[in-house]
Amino acid sequence: IYELIYNLCDNAIRYNRPDGKVIIKISDDGLNSEIRVTDTGIGISKEDLPRIFERGYTGYNGRKDKKATGIGLFLVKSIIEKLNGSVIIESELGKGTSVTCNLTNL
């Protein structure tokens, strides 16, 4: 879980604006856990969204950054799948990104 949270926070900070915000919410009702990281950053284009979980894929922002490896969100999805959870990303260019990871407690 540490690696998952680290990757989500790293992306939220890296692709945020200097005056932007990052909000981290973790909830657990005993049956389900949810981790949500939301930022007010540069967002992800609609064209890139379908491929962001592919190993090695860097969208427009990652190619522009030149430090992106395309491994972070791949790892997030891999970790969540191994825990039988799900991950949803909502993003809009210029407005930010929200990543929600849901897990069922066993």
Side-chain angles (χ1 to χ4, degrees):
I1 296 292
Y2 166 79
E3 188 71 28
L4 178 135
I5 294 171
Y6 173 84
N7 276 301
L8 294 178
C9 292
D10 184 56
N11 281 350
I13 293 166
R14 181 182 305 189
Y15 297 109
N16 212 334
R17 303 177 195 317
D19 62 340
K21 294 180 183 177
V22 175
I23 300 165
I24 302 165
K25 292 184 180 181
I26 300 174
S27 61
D28 186 341
D29 66 7
L31 298 175
N32 299 293
S33 297
E34 181 177 279
I35 301 166
R36 181 177 300 201
V37 178
T38 303
D39 67 61
T40 57
I42 59 177
I44 303 168
S45 73
K46 288 181 183 179
E47 294 79 22
D48 287 333
L49 277 172
R51 298 190 60 199
I52 57 175
F53 293 118
E54 291 178 19
R55 182 184 187 116
Y57 181 76
T58 57
Y60 173 78
N61 296 331
R63 291 188 298 273
K64 183 178 166 187
D65 179 45
K66 296 190 180 172
K67 294 180 184 173
T69 62
I71 199 77
L73 290 174
F74 169 78
L75 287 175
V76 166
K77 184 154 182 150
S78 296
I79 292 166
I80 289 295
E81 286 179 347
K82 286 182 181 175
L83 297 170
N84 295 318
S86 64
V87 59
I88 299 168
I89 295 189
E90 299 167 304
S91 189
E92 189 174 339
L93 273 179
K95 296 196 176 187
T97 302
S98 181
V99 182
T100 305
C101 300
N102 292 295
L103 300 166
T104 302
N105 296 333
L106 300 174

